[in-house]
Amino acid sequence: MSEEKMYSIRVPASTANLGPGFDSIGLALSLYLTVDVYKSDKWEVIPVSKELEVFPRDESHYICKIAKKTASLYGKEMSPCKLYVTSDIPLTRGLGSSASAIVAGIELANVMCDLGLSQEEKVHLSSLEEGHPDNAGASVKGGLVVGEHNERETNLLSFKLPSIEIVALIPNYELYTEDSRNVLPSVLSYSESVKASAIANTFLAALLSGDWELAGKMMSEDRFHQPYRKKLVPHIEDTEEIAKQAGAFGVALSGAGPTVVCFSEKKHTENVRKALSEVFPEYESIKLEIDYDGSTVKAYSVESNGEIIQSK
């Protein structure tokens, strides 16, 4: 019986900044982009999720372009593929949908061209595309990531927060990253930069040491981006008040917004979700776990009768 290989690429969503960790701290979340890959004689992208129907269905699709670009960097040429793409990551909501597509493209090139990329190389390549490592790094490595990125290298560390869950309040409107970036100042004074950096450092130390109260306080005192973006996301102040009353210890704008993420110990998460859904019934309020797997690729054998068997 003849068979062919297919691959399934899964990439988690991410939330970035977490308040004061601007462009350097991110967290992988339990929403996923999945790309099922089959060899083909032409490029074809089939959207399984309705929200993805707006994107091209040929090699001009973003995932295909990233895959071809990645392959060319290593002197390889991508053979055409048929891709079935599924995603439960909302688009343009600040949950790393573009970063997940970048990582999926890199994983596609890696498996189809046998590049043998290390996790560190995947982090660097995806961060080069994003311009910063918080979303892309989280999608590759999973967990809480802290990193620094430049053209030559990306230094990224991943940590676990086993007692924490997230409630994401996802509005019913989009906010493009470019628009959200345009409200930021071009420079900060030296004294303001020192203060903002001190807040970020204290936030990270508090989070990793389990001092939730201090971590939450530092999240609300960010000086890098949230004060400037609040006018674009008017619900963030009410969200913070309601979530904290329900048991959350920290609230932050997710990436460029408009999603707001609420951090709480697991025992309080459902209370936070319910409280937000009651006040914001027109928005989506969902409980999310932290993803610790990062991007994964599984190989399958497809037999002539159509049966799909996972390869060992």
Side-chain angles (χ1 to χ4, degrees):
M1 183 178 292
S2 64
E3 63 178 43
E4 62 177 283
K5 287 280 189 184
M6 64 85 65
Y7 299 92
S8 185
I9 299 168
R10 191 177 84 150
V11 184
S14 58
T15 180
N17 305 326
L18 316 191
F22 189 63
D23 279 2
S24 61
I25 301 178
L27 189 69
L29 300 174
S30 58
L31 295 170
Y32 298 94
L33 168 68
T34 303
V35 184
D36 291 333
V37 184
Y38 297 82
K39 289 183 178 179
S40 180
D41 57 359
K42 65 175 183 177
W43 283 101
E44 188 176 2
V45 181
I46 301 171
V48 180
S49 302
K50 186 173 180 60
E51 194 175 26
L52 303 178
E53 292 177 356
V54 297
F55 297 115
R57 302 194 182 194
D58 56 14
E59 61 189 287
S60 64
H61 191 284
Y62 193 39
I63 293 174
C64 303
K65 291 169 70 173
I66 294 294
K68 293 174 70 176
K69 180 179 179 179
T70 302
S72 68
L73 289 173
Y74 293 86
K76 300 289 184 71
E77 185 174 348
M78 279 288 302
S79 297
C81 299
K82 178 182 287 188
L83 309 179
Y84 291 86
V85 185
T86 309
S87 181
D88 49 18
I89 306 173
L91 303 176
T92 58
R93 298 295 201 282
L95 289 168
S97 58
S98 62
S100 66
I102 290 169
V103 173
I106 292 169
E107 293 284 14
L108 175 60
N110 187 48
V111 70
M112 298 305 291
C113 296
D114 197 23
L115 301 181
L117 297 176
S118 67
Q119 199 173 59
E120 288 70 27
E121 288 172 313
K122 294 173 189 176
V123 167
H124 184 57
L125 289 169
S126 57
S127 298
L128 281 172
E129 289 293 334
E130 276 277 280
H132 42 86
D134 42 7
N135 289 109
S139 286
V140 173
K141 298 194 75 167
L144 172 76
V145 297
V146 184
E148 177 273 336
H149 167 75
N150 57 62
E151 290 292 317
R152 299 183 310 278
E153 63 180 1
T154 306
N155 299 297
L156 191 86
L157 298 171
S158 177
F159 302 91
K160 291 188 176 182
L161 298 173
S163 62
I164 300 304
E165 287 182 330
I166 308 298
V167 175
L169 183 67
I170 307 172
N172 53 8
Y173 63 90
E174 298 178 342
L175 178 57
Y176 291 96
T177 301
E178 183 179 357
D179 294 336
S180 194
R181 288 253 172 191
N182 285 340
V183 301
L184 301 181
S186 57
V187 295
L188 290 178
S189 69
Y190 183 80
S191 60
E192 186 72 0
S193 299
V194 170
K195 181 64 176 177
S197 178
I199 291 170
N201 294 341
T202 305
F203 160 67
L204 185 58
L207 196 61
L208 294 178
S209 62
D211 189 336
W212 310 133
E213 183 178 356
L214 182 57
K217 181 181 179 183
M218 293 299 99
M219 290 172 80
S220 66
E221 293 187 10
D222 163 58
R223 299 190 178 198
F224 284 123
H225 74 113
Q226 290 186 150
Y228 310 101
R229 287 171 163 168
K230 279 186 176 180
K231 62 183 179 183
L232 302 178
V233 189
H235 60 278
I236 187 171
E237 291 185 351
D238 288 342
T239 300
E240 183 172 13
E241 181 179 351
I242 294 159
K244 287 188 174 181
Q245 287 178 353
F249 66 80
V251 175
L253 189 63
S254 184
T259 294
V260 176
V261 286
C262 309
F263 286 62
S264 75
E265 294 180 82
K266 291 181 179 180
K267 61 185 178 183
H268 299 306
T269 310
E270 183 57 23
N271 288 339
V272 174
R273 190 200 66 76
K274 286 182 178 178
L276 290 175
S277 64
E278 288 174 2
V279 177
F280 298 100
E282 72 278 21
Y283 294 173
E284 186 178 8
S285 178
I286 57 174
K287 183 170 69 173
L288 298 171
E289 296 177 353
I290 300 171
D291 174 278
Y292 293 111
D293 293 330
S295 57
T296 60
V297 181
K298 293 182 179 179
Y300 297 85
S301 294
V302 184
E303 299 187 351
S304 58
N305 62 2
E307 184 178 2
I308 298 176
I309 302 172
Q310 184 174 348
S311 302
K312 293 184 179 179

